[in-house]
């Protein structure tokens, strides 16, 4: 299963992310991939709002992992700086924890990822963005089906 959505503005990308933020549960893992400036931080900001996070979400590049309080905790990870190190920062504690994980540059820690996750790839497309969802496992297929049931997101 693979779902392709198109957004023309930052707000539209945030709307999709907000919806996901509203429906995710504890232990859900979202992987975000995309080039610099693709919209990963923009997406995470919308996601956090949907999750009820009040603080402003910024890129965690220098911290690698940042935690935010929402309906459930949000663990925002940007593992860009771990490239080539293969260092385990105790990722399992987060993946199996009380909250939901959003992981940027997740392919750099592929050894530590759970078997099931929702991978979201954001790519530049003319003036907008193409957002492709790759659910791995029944839980994430369900989440994607919920998303495209909504008129706003069905193409
Ligand atoms: N359809 C769109 N969806 C998301 N962002 C968009 C869209 N159109 C334009 N933008 C703009 O693109 C930029 C995306 O920046 P953002 O910091 O979210 O990217 P990033 O993938 O997190 O980059 P980095 O890896 O450098 O942190 C923002 O300035 C945003 O306003």
């Amino acid at each position: 299963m693979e779902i392709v959505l198109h957004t023309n503005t930052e707000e539209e990308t945030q709307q999709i992310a907000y919806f996901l933020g509203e429906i995710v549960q504890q232990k859900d893992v979202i992987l975000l991939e995309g080039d610099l400036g693709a919209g990963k931080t923009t997406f995470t900001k919308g996601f956090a709002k949907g999750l009820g996070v009040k603080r402003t979400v910024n890129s965690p590049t220098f911290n690698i992992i940042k935690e935010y309080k929402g309906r459930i905790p949000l663990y925002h990870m940007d593992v860009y700086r771990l490239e080539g190190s293969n260092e385990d920062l105790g990722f399992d504690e987060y993946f199996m924890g009380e909250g939901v994980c959003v992981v940027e540059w997740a392919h750099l820690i592929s050894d530590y990822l759970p078997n099931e996750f929702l991978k979201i790839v954001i790519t530049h497309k003319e003036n907008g963005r193409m957002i492709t969802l790759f659910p791995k496992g029944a839980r994430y297929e369900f989440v994607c089906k919920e998303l495209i049931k909504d008129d706003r997101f069905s193409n």
Side-chain angles (χ1 to χ4, degrees):
M1 185 183 186
E2 179 183 317
I3 291 162
V4 181
L5 303 168
H6 295 276
T7 65
N8 292 313
T9 62
E10 172 175 346
E11 289 71 29
E12 282 176 20
T13 296
Q14 289 209 356
Q15 253 189 358
I16 295 170
Y18 188 100
F19 182 94
L20 287 174
E22 283 183 316
I23 63 171
V24 285
Q25 299 173 355
Q26 289 183 327
K27 300 183 176 42
D28 278 347
V29 176
I30 313 272
L31 313 184
L32 267 188
E33 298 281 349
D35 292 337
L36 299 177
K40 300 181 295 297
T41 305
T42 301
F43 188 96
T44 309
K45 283 179 194 280
F47 183 85
K49 283 185 201 149
L51 198 61
V53 172
K54 299 281 177 253
R55 270 169 63 202
T56 304
V57 170
N58 294 309
S59 174
T61 301
F62 295 102
N63 307 63
I64 301 183
I65 303 173
K66 266 196 194 169
E67 186 172 340
Y68 297 88
K69 272 201 195 103
R71 167 173 65 79
I72 52 175
L74 166 63
Y75 308 123
H76 184 201
M77 311 183 194
D78 182 338
V79 299
Y80 185 71
R81 288 200 310 146
L82 294 182
E83 179 152 33
S85 74
N86 207 30
E87 190 184 350
D88 183 1
L89 300 178
F91 293 114
D92 240 25
E93 300 275 315
Y94 293 98
F95 295 142
M96 303 303 288
E98 304 289 299
V100 53
C101 292
V102 171
V103 192
E104 300 188 28
W105 302 96
H107 61 275
L108 298 176
I109 57 161
S110 54
D111 287 354
Y112 308 116
L113 295 175
N115 294 328
E116 299 194 349
F117 46 73
L118 174 58
K119 182 164 95 174
I120 301 175
V121 181
I122 310 177
T123 45
H124 288 258
K125 202 81 182 175
E126 286 136 29
N127 295 324
R129 299 291 188 277
M130 183 168 91
I131 300 180
T132 314
L133 288 80
F134 299 93
K136 195 146 178 256
R139 157 75 190 143
Y140 299 101
E141 286 189 4
F142 169 79
V143 167
C144 289
K145 281 178 190 150
E146 289 299 298
L147 180 80
I148 53 175
K149 254 196 225 164
D150 193 299
D151 291 344
R152 287 172 300 172
F153 310 123
S154 51
N155 276 330

